[in-house]
Amino acid sequence: MDKYRSRPIKFKETIEINDWRIKVYTITKGENFYHPEFYKSVKEKLPGWLSLKNSFNNDNSNIGFLILHSGNEGVFSVMNWWVGENMLNTHIFFSDYRSEGDFKQISGDGLAPCVWELEVIYHEKKSWTENVLKKLPDADYDTYILDTINTNV
């Protein structure tokens, strides 16, 4: 086990795909997240990932966020969107550094986001609460989309 070191979290862009708006964040153990081929593959996979169902409630606002984390073992893609107004649907995919376009779904057996990814999730939870839940029935989705985080944690 390695000693904890802070990692940069950076907002990259908002992707509009089909009827969805997805905020994209990167986290890296190095200085910069530089994986252009991986990122291209992620964009190609997004429509399929966004069609995944959950066992409880698939009602959603077609709004979510994606965390791309370049870690020790490879690159993790943590796809999240809000369901049933106040719950987070999460799917985690992994691609090792030798085959950055080959994604394996690794969530579903108890695996949850790591300590760095939880920082993004915490920010998104606060923003969703303030801009959507507290303003229902007049949720401010546009302000939620514009509210992002850039930090070292």
Side-chain angles (χ1 to χ4, degrees):
M1 180 182 294
D2 292 335
K3 180 180 175 183
Y4 177 88
R5 287 192 166 77
S6 66
R7 295 183 181 187
I9 295 172
K10 296 180 181 173
F11 171 73
K12 185 166 180 70
E13 68 175 322
T14 297
I15 296 175
E16 294 190 19
I17 186 166
N18 300 334
D19 292 330
W20 287 83
R21 291 188 287 175
I22 304 296
K23 296 194 265 187
V24 181
Y25 293 94
T26 61
I27 303 173
T28 184
K29 67 178 184 171
E31 293 294 317
N32 294 304
F33 185 95
Y34 185 74
H35 301 280
E37 289 303 312
F38 168 81
Y39 193 66
K40 179 181 171 189
S41 296
V42 164
K43 285 183 165 184
E44 292 169 359
K45 294 287 185 183
L46 269 178
W49 292 354
L50 294 170
S51 69
L52 293 171
K53 306 288 184 207
N54 66 60
S55 59
F56 175 69
N57 182 349
N58 202 38
D59 293 340
N60 65 70
S61 302
N62 288 10
I63 293 176
F65 58 98
L66 173 62
I67 304 166
L68 305 174
H69 186 175
S70 178
N72 292 326
E73 304 85 358
V75 185
F76 296 85
S77 301
V78 185
M79 185 69 245
N80 307 273
W81 63 87
W82 298 100
V83 296
E85 293 180 356
N86 58 19
M87 292 176 282
L88 197 59
N89 191 70
T90 301
H91 296 277
I92 304 173
F93 301 89
F94 175 75
S95 182
D96 68 35
Y97 289 116
R98 292 181 307 271
S99 55
E100 289 187 342
D102 181 25
F103 300 91
K104 294 177 180 63
Q105 187 168 5
I106 59 172
S107 55
D109 62 357
L111 182 69
C114 75
V115 296
W116 295 280
E117 295 155 359
L118 287 172
E119 187 72 18
V120 175
I121 292 169
Y122 180 64
H123 167 81
E124 292 297 314
K125 173 259 182 208
K126 290 189 307 182
S127 184
W128 187 260
T129 300
E130 292 302 315
N131 296 303
V132 176
L133 297 179
K134 288 184 176 181
K135 295 183 177 181
L136 287 173
D138 299 314
D140 188 351
Y141 296 112
D142 292 333
T143 299
Y144 169 76
I145 288 294
L146 293 173
D147 186 11
T148 62
I149 183 174
N150 289 288
T151 190
N152 282 305
V153 66

